[in-house]
Amino acid sequence: MNIGEIARRAGVSRSTVSYALSGKRPVTEETRRRIQAVIDELDFRPNAAARALKEGRTRTIGLVIPPASLRLTDMQLGFVASVVEAAARADLDVLLSPSGGDHDRSFERITSGRRVDGVILMEIRLEDQRVSRLQQAGLPFVTIGHTANPDGTCWVDIDYGTLIARCVHHLADLGHRDIALINRSPELVAAGYGPAQRALEGFTEAATQRNLNSLALTCGDDAAAGEDCIQRLREDHREITAAVTVNEAALPGIQRALERAGVRVPRDFSLAGVAARHWAEDFRPPLTAADVPTIEMGGHAVDLLLERIAAPDAPLRHLLLVPPISLRSSTGPVPAAG
């Protein structure tokens, strides 16, 4: 069975069958039904295109990722992998599309080209033009992360503000009075990147509540930046006895810099934060942290998107996850004076 045979039996041209299967050009509903009747009559084994014809869908979702020129962090790769796996379980394909910088045309093709049934959008800013564009297009979408005013969107996120605040309170309970935040890169903070901004808000609020001396630092998303951050911290702020972080990519460098300086964790310095479990467990000593459930978050995002595709007018839902702080070995009492 091929397109030519379907066209002959349906009394249409090959190009009409092709357009009906691909969705590249509109065909009348009557023609679409006639073509589908031929497929059903001949017990044609449906491929993805035939299923799309029958269901009026592409069976493909778009996943908008950061620009390919930037090295994805481990957490970002975890989101990508979890979305792809969850989509495969639902018999869906995933079309990856970078956004930002020189990739606006790719995002626009995803948004307006009828290539996907819906979109999952990663790396959300507090004010995110991509969200506004998807809303204007009327395409079902879900975000991993949420904007400053998220009531009109469907999303799944981690409560970074609450989790960082809990880490600060944990360190304050251990007697630490001088605490730093090792945040994400200066560029992400300046751009209003959600996790970085909410981590800063939670840190500042908790430090104020506990009357702590606090210091907020930005740090690039790599090991070298982590090393540099600790070097600057040790040179300029020797009074700091503990830190919290949302920058898991910097953790290897943070560890190397502390070891090179002869700083023993947690005897001389305590560290806690928010990170994927394997990053926390690979830190030496293992990191006290809220473990980010990347696999579950990707699965939730796909489930929410399928709901939006099936029932676009249903009430919007969101999931704000607050995983527990896993107490490991990187936090301890404040060092004795002298």
Tab-separated table of all heavy atoms in Angstrom, residues 143-177:
chain	number	residue	atom	x	y	z
A	143	THR	N	4.911	24.759	30.739
A	143	THR	CA	6.258	25.221	31.026
A	143	THR	C	6.855	24.455	32.197
A	143	THR	O	6.148	24.091	33.138
A	143	THR	CB	6.284	26.732	31.344
A	143	THR	OG1	5.478	27.000	32.508
A	143	THR	CG2	5.753	27.541	30.173
A	144	ILE	N	8.147	24.185	32.111
A	144	ILE	CA	8.918	23.688	33.254
A	144	ILE	C	9.560	24.923	33.866
A	144	ILE	O	10.551	25.444	33.357
A	144	ILE	CB	9.970	22.646	32.833
A	144	ILE	CG1	9.296	21.434	32.197
A	144	ILE	CG2	10.796	22.203	34.048
A	144	ILE	CD1	10.277	20.365	31.711
A	145	GLY	N	8.967	25.406	34.938
A	145	GLY	CA	9.258	26.721	35.466
A	145	GLY	C	8.016	27.585	35.284
A	145	GLY	O	7.096	27.207	34.555
A	146	HIS	N	7.975	28.752	35.948
A	146	HIS	CA	6.808	29.602	35.777
A	146	HIS	C	7.191	31.071	35.832
A	146	HIS	O	8.190	31.451	36.440
A	146	HIS	CB	5.717	29.282	36.803
A	146	HIS	CG	6.068	29.548	38.236
A	146	HIS	ND1	6.986	28.795	38.952
A	146	HIS	CD2	5.605	30.491	39.108
A	146	HIS	CE1	7.067	29.237	40.187
A	146	HIS	NE2	6.249	30.269	40.313
A	147	THR	N	6.388	31.879	35.164
A	147	THR	CA	6.647	33.309	35.074
A	147	THR	C	6.218	34.021	36.358
A	147	THR	O	5.691	33.408	37.279
A	147	THR	CB	5.881	33.911	33.878
A	147	THR	OG1	4.476	33.727	34.087
A	147	THR	CG2	6.298	33.246	32.567
A	148	ALA	N	6.409	35.341	36.359
A	148	ALA	CA	6.025	36.120	37.542
A	148	ALA	C	4.519	36.133	37.736
A	148	ALA	O	4.029	36.222	38.867
A	148	ALA	CB	6.558	37.547	37.414
A	149	ASN	N	3.770	36.033	36.640
A	149	ASN	CA	2.299	36.016	36.700
A	149	ASN	C	1.810	34.772	35.972
A	149	ASN	O	1.400	34.838	34.802
A	149	ASN	CB	1.732	37.287	36.060
A	149	ASN	CG	2.184	38.548	36.775
A	149	ASN	OD1	1.866	38.747	37.940
A	149	ASN	ND2	2.938	39.385	36.072
A	150	PRO	N	1.836	33.625	36.638
A	150	PRO	CA	1.625	32.349	35.949
A	150	PRO	C	0.179	31.861	35.926
A	150	PRO	O	-0.076	30.734	35.499
A	150	PRO	CB	2.476	31.393	36.786
A	150	PRO	CG	2.331	31.913	38.183
A	150	PRO	CD	2.225	33.424	38.045
A	151	ASP	N	-0.777	32.673	36.353
A	151	ASP	CA	-2.152	32.179	36.479
A	151	ASP	C	-2.734	31.726	35.150
A	151	ASP	O	-3.587	30.845	35.109
A	151	ASP	CB	-3.043	33.265	37.093
A	151	ASP	CG	-2.703	33.545	38.550
A	151	ASP	OD1	-2.024	32.690	39.162
A	151	ASP	OD2	-3.095	34.610	39.057
A	152	GLY	N	-2.289	32.322	34.047
A	152	GLY	CA	-2.851	31.965	32.754
A	152	GLY	C	-2.097	30.883	32.026
A	152	GLY	O	-2.299	30.690	30.819
A	153	THR	N	-1.236	30.150	32.724
A	153	THR	CA	-0.441	29.106	32.089
A	153	THR	C	-0.507	27.811	32.889
A	153	THR	O	-0.921	27.797	34.042
A	153	THR	CB	1.041	29.530	31.951
A	153	THR	OG1	1.564	29.841	33.259
A	153	THR	CG2	1.173	30.749	31.058
A	154	CYS	N	-0.072	26.747	32.249
A	154	CYS	CA	-0.016	25.418	32.867
A	154	CYS	C	1.459	25.086	33.054
A	154	CYS	O	2.243	25.164	32.100
A	154	CYS	CB	-0.709	24.418	31.939
A	154	CYS	SG	-0.945	22.788	32.641
A	155	TRP	N	1.864	24.695	34.270
A	155	TRP	CA	3.292	24.551	34.514
A	155	TRP	C	3.592	23.583	35.657
A	155	TRP	O	2.739	23.244	36.466
A	155	TRP	CB	3.929	25.906	34.832
A	155	TRP	CG	3.227	26.720	35.873
A	155	TRP	CD1	2.234	27.638	35.674
A	155	TRP	CD2	3.455	26.709	37.310
A	155	TRP	NE1	1.830	28.193	36.880
A	155	TRP	CE2	2.570	27.650	37.885
A	155	TRP	CE3	4.340	26.003	38.139
A	155	TRP	CZ2	2.531	27.886	39.253
A	155	TRP	CZ3	4.306	26.236	39.515
A	155	TRP	CH2	3.406	27.177	40.051
A	156	VAL	N	4.865	23.166	35.687
A	156	VAL	CA	5.417	22.374	36.787
A	156	VAL	C	6.745	23.011	37.174
A	156	VAL	O	7.511	23.450	36.316
A	156	VAL	CB	5.598	20.893	36.388
A	156	VAL	CG1	6.496	20.739	35.163
A	156	VAL	CG2	6.160	20.083	37.550
A	157	ASP	N	7.000	23.115	38.469
A	157	ASP	CA	8.217	23.798	38.912
A	157	ASP	C	8.617	23.311	40.291
A	157	ASP	O	7.853	22.629	40.990
A	157	ASP	CB	7.990	25.309	38.938
A	157	ASP	CG	9.292	26.111	38.845
A	157	ASP	OD1	10.374	25.495	38.784
A	157	ASP	OD2	9.215	27.360	38.823
A	158	ILE	N	9.828	23.685	40.671
A	158	ILE	CA	10.350	23.480	42.024
A	158	ILE	C	10.216	24.795	42.783
A	158	ILE	O	10.448	25.875	42.215
A	158	ILE	CB	11.841	23.070	41.962
A	158	ILE	CG1	12.003	21.670	41.378
A	158	ILE	CG2	12.482	23.122	43.330
A	158	ILE	CD1	11.548	20.575	42.298
A	159	ASP	N	9.862	24.731	44.035
A	159	ASP	CA	9.742	25.936	44.857
A	159	ASP	C	11.125	26.315	45.392
A	159	ASP	O	11.458	26.070	46.552
A	159	ASP	CB	8.755	25.700	45.997
A	159	ASP	CG	8.376	26.989	46.705
A	159	ASP	OD1	9.046	28.016	46.493
A	159	ASP	OD2	7.397	26.966	47.478
A	160	TYR	N	11.925	26.920	44.509
A	160	TYR	CA	13.305	27.244	44.868
A	160	TYR	C	13.380	28.203	46.052
A	160	TYR	O	14.278	28.074	46.898
A	160	TYR	CB	14.028	27.856	43.662
A	160	TYR	CG	14.392	26.851	42.602
A	160	TYR	CD1	13.544	26.606	41.530
A	160	TYR	CD2	15.582	26.133	42.671
A	160	TYR	CE1	13.868	25.685	40.550
A	160	TYR	CE2	15.911	25.207	41.699
A	160	TYR	CZ	15.053	24.985	40.640
A	160	TYR	OH	15.373	24.055	39.677
A	161	GLY	N	12.480	29.169	46.108
A	161	GLY	CA	12.527	30.119	47.208
A	161	GLY	C	12.351	29.455	48.557
A	161	GLY	O	13.124	29.694	49.492
A	162	THR	N	11.339	28.595	48.664
A	162	THR	CA	11.097	27.889	49.926
A	162	THR	C	12.254	26.964	50.271
A	162	THR	O	12.678	26.885	51.438
A	162	THR	CB	9.790	27.092	49.834
A	162	THR	OG1	8.693	28.005	49.727
A	162	THR	CG2	9.589	26.203	51.052
A	163	LEU	N	12.783	26.255	49.279
A	163	LEU	CA	13.844	25.281	49.553
A	163	LEU	C	15.139	25.956	49.994
A	163	LEU	O	15.798	25.495	50.936
A	163	LEU	CB	14.085	24.415	48.320
A	163	LEU	CG	12.911	23.503	47.939
A	163	LEU	CD1	13.175	22.793	46.627
A	163	LEU	CD2	12.635	22.492	49.049
A	164	ILE	N	15.508	27.044	49.323
A	164	ILE	CA	16.716	27.757	49.749
A	164	ILE	C	16.509	28.360	51.135
A	164	ILE	O	17.416	28.345	51.987
A	164	ILE	CB	17.091	28.840	48.723
A	164	ILE	CG1	17.739	28.180	47.500
A	164	ILE	CG2	18.053	29.864	49.322
A	164	ILE	CD1	19.058	27.472	47.788
A	165	ALA	N	15.320	28.863	51.403
A	165	ALA	CA	15.035	29.400	52.736
A	165	ALA	C	15.182	28.314	53.803
A	165	ALA	O	15.735	28.562	54.885
A	165	ALA	CB	13.628	29.998	52.770
A	166	ARG	N	14.700	27.114	53.509
A	166	ARG	CA	14.843	26.020	54.472
A	166	ARG	C	16.307	25.675	54.706
A	166	ARG	O	16.706	25.355	55.843
A	166	ARG	CB	14.083	24.791	53.968
A	166	ARG	CG	12.566	24.949	54.045
A	166	ARG	CD	11.845	23.711	53.559
A	166	ARG	NE	10.398	23.880	53.651
A	166	ARG	CZ	9.512	22.979	53.241
A	166	ARG	NH1	9.921	21.838	52.707
A	166	ARG	NH2	8.216	23.216	53.364
A	167	CYS	N	17.119	25.733	53.658
A	167	CYS	CA	18.552	25.481	53.833
A	167	CYS	C	19.175	26.544	54.729
A	167	CYS	O	20.016	26.239	55.598
A	167	CYS	CB	19.255	25.476	52.467
A	167	CYS	SG	18.892	24.042	51.430
A	168	VAL	N	18.788	27.806	54.538
A	168	VAL	CA	19.302	28.886	55.375
A	168	VAL	C	18.896	28.670	56.831
A	168	VAL	O	19.716	28.803	57.756
A	168	VAL	CB	18.793	30.251	54.864
A	168	VAL	CG1	19.130	31.362	55.870
A	168	VAL	CG2	19.402	30.576	53.511
A	169	HIS	N	17.630	28.319	57.069
A	169	HIS	CA	17.171	28.084	58.440
A	169	HIS	C	17.921	26.901	59.065
A	169	HIS	O	18.254	26.929	60.259
A	169	HIS	CB	15.666	27.824	58.452
A	169	HIS	CG	14.842	29.046	58.212
A	169	HIS	ND1	14.887	30.161	59.028
A	169	HIS	CD2	13.939	29.342	57.225
A	169	HIS	CE1	14.056	31.090	58.578
A	169	HIS	NE2	13.467	30.612	57.480
A	170	HIS	N	18.188	25.864	58.264
A	170	HIS	CA	18.950	24.720	58.770
A	170	HIS	C	20.338	25.159	59.229
A	170	HIS	O	20.799	24.779	60.329
A	170	HIS	CB	19.050	23.661	57.672
A	170	HIS	CG	20.037	22.574	57.943
A	170	HIS	ND1	19.930	21.707	59.012
A	170	HIS	CD2	21.169	22.217	57.272
A	170	HIS	CE1	20.943	20.854	58.995
A	170	HIS	NE2	21.714	21.139	57.954
A	171	LEU	N	21.005	25.974	58.422
A	171	LEU	CA	22.341	26.434	58.790
A	171	LEU	C	22.293	27.372	59.993
A	171	LEU	O	23.169	27.318	60.868
A	171	LEU	CB	22.989	27.136	57.594
A	171	LEU	CG	23.330	26.215	56.419
A	171	LEU	CD1	23.684	27.018	55.179
A	171	LEU	CD2	24.464	25.264	56.777
A	172	ALA	N	21.276	28.212	60.057
A	172	ALA	CA	21.139	29.102	61.213
A	172	ALA	C	20.904	28.303	62.486
A	172	ALA	O	21.428	28.643	63.557
A	172	ALA	CB	19.992	30.087	60.976
A	173	ASP	N	20.129	27.215	62.381
A	173	ASP	CA	19.906	26.351	63.547
A	173	ASP	C	21.210	25.722	64.030
A	173	ASP	O	21.336	25.378	65.218
A	173	ASP	CB	18.909	25.247	63.203
A	173	ASP	CG	17.488	25.769	63.016
A	173	ASP	OD1	17.204	26.898	63.478
A	173	ASP	OD2	16.679	25.057	62.389
A	174	LEU	N	22.175	25.560	63.119
A	174	LEU	CA	23.481	25.000	63.488
A	174	LEU	C	24.430	26.068	64.024
A	174	LEU	O	25.580	25.764	64.361
A	174	LEU	CB	24.121	24.321	62.272
A	174	LEU	CG	23.426	23.039	61.790
A	174	LEU	CD1	23.987	22.597	60.438
A	174	LEU	CD2	23.589	21.921	62.816
A	175	GLY	N	23.953	27.306	64.091
A	175	GLY	CA	24.749	28.373	64.693
A	175	GLY	C	25.441	29.297	63.715
A	175	GLY	O	26.115	30.242	64.134
A	176	HIS	N	25.285	29.068	62.426
A	176	HIS	CA	25.953	29.922	61.434
A	176	HIS	C	25.265	31.281	61.380
A	176	HIS	O	24.043	31.371	61.289
A	176	HIS	CB	25.927	29.255	60.054
A	176	HIS	CG	26.725	27.991	59.993
A	176	HIS	ND1	28.078	27.978	59.746
A	176	HIS	CD2	26.354	26.691	60.166
A	176	HIS	CE1	28.517	26.718	59.747
A	176	HIS	NE2	27.492	25.921	60.011
A	177	ARG	N	26.086	32.334	61.410
A	177	ARG	CA	25.559	33.697	61.368
A	177	ARG	C	25.974	34.438	60.103
A	177	ARG	O	25.404	35.484	59.786
A	177	ARG	CB	26.069	34.496	62.587
A	177	ARG	CG	25.813	33.822	63.933
A	177	ARG	CD	24.355	33.631	64.209
A	177	ARG	NE	23.620	34.885	64.139
A	177	ARG	CZ	22.290	34.969	64.063
A	177	ARG	NH1	21.564	33.858	64.006
A	177	ARG	NH2	21.693	36.146	64.015
